[in-house]
């Protein structure tokens, strides 16, 4: 089965019913099927060949969805890029993925052989010949590349295939959203380039519309949720905190106007205070997902009825058809309350890293087990608890920030001799980026913060820089980020940090 088959069948089954809603723009299931066929045909006519990578930099909206699934039907490989990153960051990914084409809105971050602006899409769709675009690719061939960072600071792409995409849809339909029907409504308030995009197909195949909000704000979310009577949504923890700060949220609930049945969240640790407040205000609608780019959103989930006070620190139980283990550094499979690395296996995982065979070999065992790099433990009832990230990735507002990348930017400042970048706990953003630096000549911390503008996306820029006489180092001279973090946050060592092997 191909992804295009799901769209074609939904087009036949649900015809004139709304499939995609973006403000006043609506596409029916039949129109969505037809437009993705036509655009796929037009893309192939432009000189692209099945297997070619196509980078996409588009704001949240219908255009992006049509492009994504036209690429799927045409056998092309989608490389979705986060609009919040800088042109410099996009250019790196376009180069690394060897993209032959770029579909973009605004200024192009780089030049590729074939350049397509968002404004050209309607004409491409209108003038392409009708009829199905149905390039059939191998189940294990790349369908999309998802960029993720890594401790080296250089982002690398995860190869996701038709097999992994279909497994993700199946996992969602079995465990997370088993009752979808044409009366369900998915509200995409988070970027569809990221987690929210995974909710598109499960709703489509069940005849439920996907409503897209261009930019998240609590007001825009509430407006769309009330207008369309949204039943499902996905948020990163930061968005939940923002929604709860908005007085209109509780008012909408009190008036009985909110139809939300599932508020799915994940992608970063959530403060239990925020989660408890969310349940108090919105009711038992929260479902937590734990996953990563290498195994998107589908390693474990914590169901609404499992959100009891003592379970709020858990990431839930494995999806029915997903294998999960906790192992020690020697590879021994661990039991209850033993702390080790989390591994997962199943068709939901990536097939490999793009053009990084060594990284692939380090991450996936020959028998298919994938090392997540997360540290956790099982409790006596079989719930997984995440304790820390093996590497010191910072997650701010749901986006990953790789300390090395930020350190590299700081070190390009002429006065900065050493830098250690850490995440400081923040109730709204989950974590915010902070840095301690050692300078070689007199410098001003505020000027160093300003220096990072234009070099790093907003969510990666340090909010605070402190100038220290020296940075803490281990006996072998490695920078001790954890000590820096605790000193900057003014917190003592926690159980979670000391438990990390
Ligand atoms: P990414 O690859 O950008 O999706 O980031 C994945 C990482 O985010 C995981 O390896 C975890 O460290 C973290 N993460 C994802 N989901 C959760 C969750 N539900 N709770 C805590 N951390 C999470």
């Amino acid at each position: 089965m191909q992804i295009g088959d799901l769209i074609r069948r939904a087009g036949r089954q649900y015809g004139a019913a709304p499939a995609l809603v973006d403000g006043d723009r609506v596409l029916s299931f039949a129109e969505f099927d037809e437009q993705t066929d036509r655009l796929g045909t037009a893309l192939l006519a432009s000189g692209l060949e099945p297997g070619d990578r196509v980078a996409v930099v588009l704001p949240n909206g219908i255009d992006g969805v049509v492009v994504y699934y036209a690429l799927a039907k045409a056998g092309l490989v989608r490389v979705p890029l986060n609009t919040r990153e800088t042109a410099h960051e996009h250019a790196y990914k376009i180069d690394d993925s060897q993209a032959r084409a770029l579909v973009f809105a605004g200024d192009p971050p780089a030049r590729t052989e074939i350049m397509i602006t968002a404004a050209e899409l309607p004409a491409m769709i209108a003038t392409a010949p009708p009829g199905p675009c149905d390039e059939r690719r191998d189940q294990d061939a790349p369908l999309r590349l998802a960029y993720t960072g890594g401790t080296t600071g250089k982002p690398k792409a995860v190869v996701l295939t038709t097999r992994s995409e279909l497994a993700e849809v199946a996992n969602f339909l079995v465990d997370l959203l088993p009752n979808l029907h044409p009366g369900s409504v998915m509200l995409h308030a988070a970027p569809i380039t990221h987690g929210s995009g995974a909710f598109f197909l499960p709703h489509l195949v069940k005849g439920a519309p996907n409503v897209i909000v261009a930019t998240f704000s609590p007001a825009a979310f509430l407006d769309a949720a009330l207008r369309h009577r949204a039943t499902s949504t996905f948020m990163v923890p930061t968005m939940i905190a923002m929604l709860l700060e908005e007085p209109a949220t509780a008012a909408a609930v009190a008036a009985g106007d909110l139809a939300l049945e599932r508020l799915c969240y994940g992608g970063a640790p959530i403060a239990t205070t925020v989660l408890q407040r969310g349940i108090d205000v919105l009711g038992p609608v929260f479902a937590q997902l734990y996953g990563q780019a290498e195994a998107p959103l589908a390693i474990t989930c914590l169901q609404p009825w499992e959100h009891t006070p003592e379970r709020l620190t858990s990431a839930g139980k494995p999806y029915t058809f997903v294998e999960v283990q906790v192992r020690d550094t020697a590879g021994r499979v661990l039991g209850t309350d033993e702390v080790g690395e989390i591994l997962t296996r199943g068709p939901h995982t990536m097939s490999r890293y793009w053009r990084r065979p060594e990284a692939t070999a380090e991450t996936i065992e020959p028998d298919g087990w994938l090392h997540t790099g997360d540290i956790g433990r099982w409790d006596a009832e079989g719930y997984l608890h995440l304790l820390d990230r093996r590497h010191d990735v910072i997650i701010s507002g749901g986006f990953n920030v790789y300390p090395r990348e930020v350190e590299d930017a700081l070190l390009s400042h002429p006065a900065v001799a050493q830098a250690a970048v850490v995440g400081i706990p923040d109730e709204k953003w989950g974590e915010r980026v902070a840095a301690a630096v050692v300078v070689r000549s007199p410098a001003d911390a505020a000027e160093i913060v300003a220096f990072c503008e234009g070099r790093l996306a907003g969510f990666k820029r340090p909010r605070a820089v402190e100038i220290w006489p020296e940075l803490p180092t281990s006996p072998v001279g490695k920078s001790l980020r954890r000590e820096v973090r605790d000193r900057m946050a003014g917190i003592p060592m926690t159980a979670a940090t000391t438990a990390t092997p």
Side-chain angles (χ1 to χ4, degrees):
M1 176 179 263
Q2 303 283 312
I3 300 302
D5 295 333
L6 299 179
I7 296 168
R8 208 159 286 121
R9 189 166 61 191
R12 264 202 320 274
Q13 290 179 338
Y14 306 111
L20 282 173
V21 182
D22 171 5
D24 293 333
R25 198 172 155 201
V26 180
L27 277 193
S28 70
F29 282 89
E31 287 167 333
F32 179 59
D33 183 31
E34 191 195 339
Q35 294 201 6
T36 47
D37 274 337
R38 283 172 177 263
L39 184 59
T41 302
L43 288 166
L44 292 175
S46 74
L48 290 166
E49 289 178 24
D52 283 344
R53 271 78 54 209
V54 178
V56 185
V57 191
L58 291 175
N60 243 21
I62 285 186
D63 281 348
V65 181
V66 172
V67 170
Y68 288 179
Y69 292 97
L71 294 172
K73 285 181 167 180
L76 297 162
V77 182
R78 179 211 314 177
V79 186
L81 300 179
N82 182 346
T83 50
R84 290 186 216 191
E85 291 190 325
T86 64
H88 179 73
E89 291 159 324
H90 286 159
Y92 168 80
K93 294 174 183 179
I94 289 167
D95 178 58
D96 181 73
S97 63
Q98 302 165 313
R100 276 193 73 205
L102 171 65
V103 185
F104 64 101
D107 293 330
R111 303 234 35 108
T112 54
E113 216 178 305
I114 297 167
M115 303 285 285
I116 300 167
T117 66
E120 291 170 284
L121 294 172
M124 284 177 80
I125 292 167
T127 57
C133 175
D134 189 17
E135 285 294 332
R136 318 228 25 117
R137 78 183 98 197
D138 190 276
Q139 292 276 301
D140 295 312
L143 173 75
R144 62 185 168 105
L145 301 187
Y147 271 90
T148 178
T151 43
T152 62
K154 277 264 179 272
K156 50 187 185 301
V158 161
V159 176
L160 296 163
T161 63
T162 304
R163 190 185 303 282
S164 56
E165 192 93 343
L166 293 175
E168 186 176 71
V169 174
N171 286 330
F172 272 32
L173 291 177
V174 167
D175 286 310
L176 195 64
L177 301 159
N179 299 317
L180 294 183
H181 54 84
S184 309
V185 178
M186 170 68 196
L187 181 54
H188 297 267
I192 57 167
T193 43
H194 285 60
S196 201
F199 289 78
F200 180 77
L201 284 175
H203 287 83
L204 175 111
V205 299
K206 295 296 180 184
N210 283 275
V211 177
I212 306 169
V213 171
T215 312
F216 173 77
S217 69
F221 172 84
L222 285 172
D223 181 57
L226 297 181
R227 186 136 50 98
H228 300 287
R229 298 205 58 76
T231 56
S232 345
T233 195
F234 171 78
M235 290 189 181
V236 296
T238 307
M239 294 164 71
I240 297 175
M242 289 169 76
L243 187 66
L244 295 175
E245 277 164 26
E246 167 65 56
T249 305
V253 177
D257 292 339
L258 219 53
L260 266 191
E261 292 166 12
R262 284 290 177 280
L263 194 162
C264 303
Y265 66 97
I270 188 166
T272 43
T273 48
V274 171
L275 187 51
Q276 188 59 59
R277 199 156 12 109
I279 297 166
D280 293 345
V281 173
L282 296 166
V285 297
F286 286 82
Q288 182 183 169
L289 315 177
Y290 159 55
Q292 56 178 195
E294 291 82 349
L297 293 181
I299 300 175
T300 62
C301 66
L302 186 71
Q303 300 282 4
W305 55 90
E306 294 169 326
H307 278 68
T308 52
E310 69 284 2
R311 291 250 174 285
L312 295 185
T313 54
S314 160
K317 292 191 284 203
Y319 282 74
T320 306
F321 297 109
V322 166
E323 291 179 277
V324 183
Q325 289 183 345
V326 175
R327 294 188 192 171
D328 67 11
T329 46
R332 207 168 49 91
V333 177
L334 300 177
T336 305
D337 283 333
E338 295 180 302
V339 173
E341 187 186 8
I342 299 163
L343 288 89
T344 183
R345 181 168 70 172
H348 63 298
T349 64
M350 68 166 180
S351 62
R352 60 188 162 98
Y353 288 114
W354 176 249
R355 296 170 62 214
R356 302 268 194 299
E358 299 82 24
T360 304
E362 278 166 21
T363 306
I364 307 180
E365 300 279 340
D367 61 1
W369 282 99
L370 179 134
H371 290 260
T372 64
D374 288 316
I375 302 300
R377 66 169 177 87
W378 298 112
D379 70 18
E381 274 85 42
Y383 288 88
L384 187 68
H385 294 256
L386 298 177
L387 299 182
D388 206 347
R389 280 147 283 164
R390 194 175 69 179
H391 309 302
D392 299 320
V393 179
I394 302 163
I395 307 182
S396 190
F399 290 119
N400 280 10
V401 181
Y402 299 91
R404 265 287 282 283
E405 195 185 352
V406 182
E407 286 166 9
D408 287 347
L410 288 165
L411 289 168
S412 67
H413 186 287
V416 175
Q418 288 174 42
V421 167
V422 295
I424 306 290
D426 184 283
E427 196 174 84
K428 179 167 176 189
W429 298 106
E431 288 180 295
R432 69 197 137 84
V433 181
V437 299
V438 175
V439 291
R440 53 169 75 87
S441 53
D444 173 17
E447 193 266 316
I448 296 174
V449 171
F451 175 82
C452 295
E453 278 182 38
R455 286 181 171 77
L456 291 168
F459 64 90
K460 297 179 187 170
R461 284 202 288 275
R463 302 290 132 171
V465 170
E466 287 182 18
I467 298 175
W468 290 4
E470 59 179 10
L471 295 183
T473 49
S474 73
V476 293
K478 278 196 200 162
S479 155
L480 291 177
R481 287 208 190 101
R482 187 154 296 142
E483 263 181 42
V484 175
R485 179 176 72 192
D486 291 353
R487 243 163 84 183
M488 289 196 81
I491 49 169
M493 294 286 272
T494 62
T497 53
T498 48
T500 304

